[in-house]
Amino acid sequence: MIKFLLKGIVHDRSRSFLPIIIVSIGVMLTVVLYCWLYGIIGDSIVMNANFTTGHLRVMTRAYAQKPEQMANDLAILDAGRLVEGLQRDYPGIDWVKRIRFGALMDFPDAKGETRAQGPVLGWAIDLLSPGSKEAGRFNIEKSIVIGNIPSKSGEALISDDFALKFNVQPGDTFTIFGTTMDGSMAFRNFIVAGTLRFGVAAIDKGAVIMDITDAQAAFSMDDATGEVLGFFDDEIYDDEKATSIATRFNMKFNASKDEFAPLMITLRGQEGMAEMMDYVNAAAGIMIFVFLLAMSLVLWNTGLIGSLRRYNEFGVRLALGESKGHIYKTLLYEGVLIGGIGTVIGTVIGLVLAYYLQTVGLDTSGMMKNASMMIPSVVRAVVTPSAYYIGLIPGLFSIVLGNALAGIGIYKRQTASLFKELEV
């Protein structure tokens, strides 16, 4: 029967061509939108984790109260011993020291006088240790516009927008003005190793990245660090595992009343990340549900109209002795075949477009020049395993439902009046 119905669908294009096109378009749009939304969610969370929160974050209790202030006078002391203990107690996690700071960057002229100045947001990370993954987390190699990654102490990277604004080239010298951990004035000279652009407006306005040993020397933070971040070895955040680790770690210091005692917080528990993750996931779920509902209604209507147009055909088949139940079953089978063909075509086209958006992305930098959130300016889709079957909902279920509802009319036909209907 299926082979017979398939031949009918192929040869009778008047009843199958339009539904297959509509199903294909609906499924394609569903797949692309689904991958697009989850791409935005994933990129934003990964970027925040790599730049700011980590999967786990250890700070002093005082620092954790207002981490956005980057108050290094509340930094972790004896950081080396803390990291060794974390590595021993919680293997499978890459524990790294980080220092974040705000400072003033000064560029001298040929006479050594100030030529230009500007505020910057700084990151001190492990750039020089063999095997360090920090440069990869910041995607520094692909973000460099001119120059190279620092290869020795005293070199730093600055944002390309900042360099263009003040006409700075690799090899130029600049001075960082900030405050030490003790609150006194700090200044240190650096050489521009290169410039970079992350594609995040909030960072590209003015940023400097240096090795953490240089920052410790500049801000008098010997064996101290602002925070220690932990990243799972597979670089994928596991909230259940992270919560378990943070709970066990914090239990060791529950009895302490020292404001400089270490406190571990998960990615989800930091700086509004829980609200962000819940809000974005909820918004994405609502948008996908609304879109699926709309497409389902359209395809349902297509199946309904297509079946109603075949009212006389069903009458002829009934007059020839075919049972109502058999006609109804064939109508459902046709819906499955048409929906299946359209779903396969739409899914393939949708995945091709999604893979293209995943590779190339869409540049939205013009709309985020004044953005303060860590959202990548090049927004990409991400193809997840569920993208391969998400189109079944609008593509298969809805058109079959439409055929099923339309087919109810078959049981309302009166066999006695069939010939009178056919004469008309």
Side-chain angles (χ1 to χ4, degrees), residues 37-354:
L37 288 174
Y38 276 90
I40 295 174
I41 295 169
D43 283 350
S44 299
I45 293 175
V46 169
M47 179 164 285
N48 274 277
N50 287 342
F51 277 76
T52 308
T53 66
H55 296 152
L56 290 159
R57 189 178 184 185
V58 181
M59 304 167 280
T60 63
R61 292 174 179 175
Y63 189 105
Q65 290 180 3
K66 292 184 178 180
E68 69 280 357
Q69 293 184 358
M70 299 175 287
N72 287 321
D73 56 324
L74 305 176
I76 299 171
L77 302 177
D78 201 7
R81 188 174 67 175
L82 174 64
V83 171
E84 289 177 1
L86 290 169
Q87 292 172 339
R88 180 184 62 252
D89 296 338
Y90 310 104
I93 299 176
D94 185 21
W95 297 99
V96 297
K97 292 179 283 188
R98 293 263 184 96
I99 296 175
R100 291 195 301 151
F101 58 92
L104 184 69
M105 187 182 292
D106 180 278
F107 298 97
D109 58 17
K111 296 180 180 181
E113 302 292 334
T114 296
R115 174 172 60 86
Q117 286 184 341
V120 292
L121 178 64
W123 277 267
I125 62 178
D126 188 358
L127 289 173
L128 303 179
S129 297
S132 174
K133 299 179 181 178
E134 289 287 78
R137 293 191 182 103
F138 277 68
N139 198 28
I140 289 178
E141 185 174 349
K142 293 183 179 179
S143 300
I144 287 182
V145 180
I146 54 175
N148 300 287
I149 298 176
S151 59
K152 60 183 179 180
S153 179
E155 293 183 339
L157 296 165
I158 66 173
S159 62
D160 190 64
D161 292 351
F162 203 80
L164 291 174
K165 182 178 179 180
F166 296 115
N167 192 26
V168 177
Q169 297 293 326
D172 290 352
T173 301
F174 67 90
T175 303
I176 284 286
F177 288 93
T179 57
T180 67
M181 189 174 65
D182 300 322
S184 58
M185 192 71 177
F187 57 91
R188 190 178 181 88
N189 293 331
F190 289 89
I191 298 173
V192 177
T195 68
L196 39 73
R197 182 179 293 113
F198 292 109
V200 182
I203 300 175
D204 289 339
K205 292 177 182 177
V208 59
I209 296 178
M210 63 182 66
D211 186 69
I212 192 165
T213 56
D214 287 331
Q216 288 174 326
F219 304 125
S220 301
M221 298 178 66
D222 185 35
D223 198 25
T225 185
E227 53 201 27
V228 176
L229 301 187
F231 295 89
F232 293 116
D233 282 346
D234 57 6
E235 299 293 334
I236 298 175
Y237 177 66
D238 184 333
D239 186 59
E240 183 177 349
K241 184 178 180 180
T243 301
S244 174
I245 293 172
T247 301
R248 282 184 286 148
F249 178 85
N250 291 329
M251 286 180 63
K252 299 177 183 178
F253 304 95
N254 281 344
S256 175
K257 296 182 180 180
D258 184 4
E259 65 175 351
F260 289 94
L263 175 69
M264 184 181 291
I265 306 176
T266 66
L267 182 152
R268 184 177 176 82
Q270 297 179 55
E271 302 175 4
M273 287 298 294
E275 291 79 4
M276 173 186 171
M277 294 170 70
D278 291 341
Y279 175 79
V280 174
N281 279 314
I286 292 172
M287 290 178 68
I288 291 172
F289 173 76
V290 170
F291 189 78
L292 289 178
L293 180 62
M295 290 309 306
S296 295
L297 290 175
V298 171
L299 297 176
W300 173 13
N301 189 54
T302 300
L304 190 62
I305 294 175
S307 298
L308 292 176
R309 284 178 178 175
R310 300 168 63 191
Y311 191 74
N312 286 339
E313 175 196 330
F314 297 147
V316 172
R317 292 168 65 178
L318 288 171
L320 293 175
E322 189 173 356
S323 67
K324 294 179 179 181
H326 186 266
I327 295 175
Y328 189 74
K329 287 181 181 178
T330 59
L331 190 62
L332 295 182
Y333 291 151
E334 284 182 11
V336 171
L337 291 174
I338 291 174
I341 293 171
T343 298
V344 171
I345 295 173
T347 299
V348 170
I349 297 174
L351 288 174
V352 170
L353 293 175

Side-chain angles (χ1 to χ4, degrees), residues 296-418:
S296 295
L297 290 175
V298 171
L299 297 176
W300 173 13
N301 189 54
T302 300
L304 190 62
I305 294 175
S307 298
L308 292 176
R309 284 178 178 175
R310 300 168 63 191
Y311 191 74
N312 286 339
E313 175 196 330
F314 297 147
V316 172
R317 292 168 65 178
L318 288 171
L320 293 175
E322 189 173 356
S323 67
K324 294 179 179 181
H326 186 266
I327 295 175
Y328 189 74
K329 287 181 181 178
T330 59
L331 190 62
L332 295 182
Y333 291 151
E334 284 182 11
V336 171
L337 291 174
I338 291 174
I341 293 171
T343 298
V344 171
I345 295 173
T347 299
V348 170
I349 297 174
L351 288 174
V352 170
L353 293 175
Y355 272 115
Y356 175 80
L357 290 173
Q358 179 175 276
T359 304
V360 178
L362 180 64
D363 188 356
T364 60
S365 56
M367 296 182 288
M368 297 193 296
K369 291 181 179 179
N370 298 316
S372 59
M373 294 179 62
M374 278 195 184
I375 300 175
S377 59
V378 178
V379 183
R380 304 178 188 275
V382 59
V383 179
T384 63
S386 53
Y388 288 86
Y389 57 81
I390 190 69
L392 288 173
I393 300 174
L396 191 59
F397 174 76
S398 56
I399 196 167
V400 172
L401 179 61
N403 281 6
L405 293 176
I408 295 175
I410 295 173
Y411 289 95
K412 296 181 180 180
R413 304 294 297 277
Q414 298 296 325
T415 307
S417 63
L418 283 177

